[in-house]
Amino acid sequence: MNLRSSWVKETGQTREDTRLTQIGATNALNPVQVRSGILPGSYDGKYRLSGFWMTGSSAMAATVSEGRAVIQGDVSQGAYPVTLPLSQQVTFTAGNAQYGRIDLVVLRIYDPLYEGTRNEAVVEVIEGVADAAPKAPLVPPRSLPLYEVTVPAGASAGNGGIPWATSLRDLRTSVVSVGGILPVEGPVAPGAYPGQYQDTPDGQLQRWDGGKWVSYPQAIGGIVPPSVNIATPGSYNGQYRAAIDGTLQRWTGSAWASAFPGPYFNDSLDAGYTTSTTYVNTLTERVTNPLSVSFVAPHTRQAILTFGSRMELALNSGTTGIASSAYMCVRITQGNTVHREVEDELAAMASKSADPTDAFSASTTQRIHSMTPGLTYTCTAYYRSSNANVRAWFDNTYIQVTPQY
C-alpha cells in the first residue's frame, strides 16, 4: 500500500519506512497516550493544514493528498506514525436508489496483535448505511477520521455522481510535539495540562488553565487584538481589548463593556408648554414625558452636563403687557436620592418684554461632580414659566452628559 507506517509489520519494515515515519509529533492527550492528528504545514506556508486534503477527482472518486500523521491506539497499544508520500485515490460505491448515506474516509492501522491478521496502514472508505436520516459510521479502532462524504440517493458515475462542492465535511485535526503551540483545525479538544497553548483559527493565542482555554493577550496589560470570537471572556478584571467595531472595551469580571462610555444623549423634537410657575417635568401637548437620560459615573466622579431648548413665550388670550421668562433646568438623581435639585441659578433661560412672541434658543453647560463611581445617575428635564398667564413653550429640547475620564 502507498501509506507507510512504522512498527506494524512483523517483518519487512524498511529503512525508508522508518525514515519517513519518525516524525516526533507526540502532543500529549494524557500521561500515557498522545493526540491523534495530522502534522500542520503547507507548501507555500499559507495554510495551517494541507496534509491529507481531499478533493473530488471524478464522479465517484476523490484524491487524498500526501501528508504525515500520528494515530493513537488504546492505552497499551502505543502511537503509530504514518506517512503518505504520494497522493492516493479513493473510490465510493454507487448510492442507494431510495436513500442517501454518509461514508467516512479514514487513515487506519491494521495490527494483528490486536485485531485480525492484516498488518498494514491504509487510506480507507468506511461505507455508511443508507437511511432517510443517514448518520456517519463509527470510527474504527486505531483510525484517524479525515472526511465525511455524503452520497446522495441514486448517485453513480452515469448519474452525476457525488456533488463534491457540498458533500465533504472536513474532520481533520492537527498535532504537534510536546510543548508546541497547536494550530487548531476542526473540533477544539480539551488541553492535557495547565500551561499548554493553542492558536485558534481567528488568530487568538490561548492557554489551558486546567479547566478551559483562556485567551492570552500579547502582553499582560496589553490590549487584546480584535477577534471574531466576541464571546471569549477576559483573563482578568481590567483587561482591555479592541472590539471589531473599533471601540476599546474593558473586562469587568463578567462582561466586556465600553472602556470609555458616553457621551449620553437624549432629545425631543416635539413641542410642549407649561404655565406652571414651579418646576414640572411634564409639558402639555408633548407626547412623551418626561425627557431624561441615565449614565454611569466615571472613576473621576465628574461629568460635563449640557442641556437646552428652543423657547417661546406666548400670552394667554386677553392678556397684554406682561414681561416673562421661560426656564429649563435638570434634576439629577441616583436611585431615590436627589444628587442635585433644580433651581433658577442653574437653568437655561429666555426672557421677553411685554408683548413680542419671538422664539429663543438657550442652552447651558455645567460640571457635575462628587458622584460615586460606577453608580447610575439620571438627569431629568424640568420647566417653568415666570407667570401663570404666559405659556412657556419648549421645543428641540435635549440633554447630554459627557463623562470625564
Side-chain angles (χ1 to χ4, degrees):
M1 297 295 291
N2 193 17
L3 187 65
R4 312 283 278 271
S5 180
S6 298
W7 319 121
V8 176
K9 299 178 181 179
E10 293 181 6
T11 61
Q13 177 174 319
T14 68
R15 287 175 294 174
E16 187 178 67
D17 288 334
T18 305
R19 288 195 304 269
L20 282 171
T21 56
Q22 297 312 296
I23 51 183
T26 54
N27 195 200
L29 181 66
N30 55 47
V32 179
Q33 295 174 293
V34 299
R35 175 184 169 121
S36 295
I38 299 166
L39 270 68
S42 60
Y43 288 110
D44 55 10
K46 292 182 178 179
Y47 305 101
R48 292 172 181 264
L49 199 61
S50 63
F52 300 100
W53 174 264
M54 192 172 81
T55 56
S57 55
S58 65
M60 299 299 294
T63 299
V64 179
S65 64
E66 59 272 23
R68 298 188 296 169
V70 173
I71 301 171
Q72 172 67 54
D74 289 342
V75 172
S76 62
Q77 296 175 5
Y80 299 83
V82 298
T83 298
L84 186 67
L86 299 171
S87 61
Q88 179 175 325
Q89 184 170 282
V90 289
T91 303
F92 299 83
T93 60
N96 178 271
Q98 184 176 7
Y99 296 119
R101 71 171 193 271
I102 299 176
D103 293 350
L104 191 64
V105 180
V106 301
L107 303 180
R108 185 171 183 179
I109 297 292
Y110 285 93
D111 191 337
L113 284 176
Y114 312 110
E115 173 189 23
T117 58
R118 296 175 66 181
N119 58 347
E120 59 181 332
V122 297
V123 181
E124 186 171 88
V125 177
I126 310 295
E127 188 170 311
V129 177
D131 191 81
K135 296 181 180 179
L138 297 176
V139 179
R142 294 171 299 283
S143 296
L144 178 65
L146 299 179
Y147 284 87
E148 287 181 2
V149 180
T150 300
V151 181
S156 66
N159 192 31
I162 298 171
W164 295 110
T166 57
S167 289
L168 296 181
R169 182 185 174 209
D170 193 348
L171 303 178
R172 297 172 305 151
T173 56
S174 60
V175 66
V176 293
S177 60
V178 171
I181 296 175
L182 182 70
V184 177
E185 286 291 325
V188 177
Y193 54 89
Q196 184 179 358
Y197 287 89
Q198 69 176 16
D199 187 72
T200 66
D202 62 2
Q204 282 286 314
L205 183 64
Q206 295 183 331
R207 180 183 183 275
W208 182 254
D209 70 356
K212 63 181 182 299
W213 289 107
V214 177
S215 291
Y216 196 78
Q218 291 179 334
I220 296 298
I223 297 174
V224 180
S227 169
V228 295
N229 188 9
I230 59 177
T232 302
S235 301
Y236 54 88
N237 290 0
Q239 183 181 10
Y240 287 91
R241 79 169 181 184
I244 294 177
D245 62 6
T247 60
L248 185 65
Q249 296 181 330
R250 183 177 184 274
W251 181 250
T252 65
S254 59
W256 288 105
S258 175
F260 301 101
Y264 302 84
F265 182 86
N266 196 11
D267 67 345
S268 174
L269 303 181
D270 188 19
Y273 73 89
T274 184
T275 57
S276 174
T277 57
T278 58
Y279 280 104
V280 292
N281 62 10
T282 300
L283 294 175
T284 303
E285 296 191 14
R286 176 175 284 179
V287 176
T288 303
N289 289 288
L291 176 68
S292 63
V293 63
S294 295
F295 67 97
V296 177
H299 68 279
T300 61
R301 309 176 68 191
Q302 301 183 69
I304 299 300
L305 168 67
T306 301
F307 59 90
S309 182
R310 181 178 182 272
M311 305 176 190
E312 184 175 341
L313 292 151
L315 301 178
N316 289 340
S317 178
T319 304
T320 60
I322 301 176
S324 56
S325 300
Y327 295 84
M328 175 187 174
C329 198
V330 168
R331 173 181 286 167
I332 304 172
T333 56
Q334 197 288 302
N336 295 322
T337 302
V338 176
H339 181 74
R340 199 183 81 173
E341 189 56 274
V342 293
E343 57 177 292
D344 288 350
E345 185 177 340
L346 300 173
M349 182 189 71
S351 299
K352 78 174 189 67
S353 58
D355 293 327
T357 57
D358 295 335
F360 308 87
S361 289
S363 66
T364 184
T365 299
Q366 301 159 9
R367 182 173 67 94
I368 312 171
H369 56 86
S370 303
M371 295 181 291
T372 302
L375 295 185
T376 299
Y377 289 76
T378 301
C379 295
T380 304
Y382 279 76
Y383 321 87
R384 81 175 187 90
S385 173
S386 63
N387 192 297
N389 289 314
V390 177
R391 294 183 179 185
W393 284 86
F394 299 88
D395 195 7
N396 301 344
T397 310
Y398 71 92
I399 308 171
Q400 177 171 309
V401 178
T402 305
Q404 300 298 287
Y405 296 102

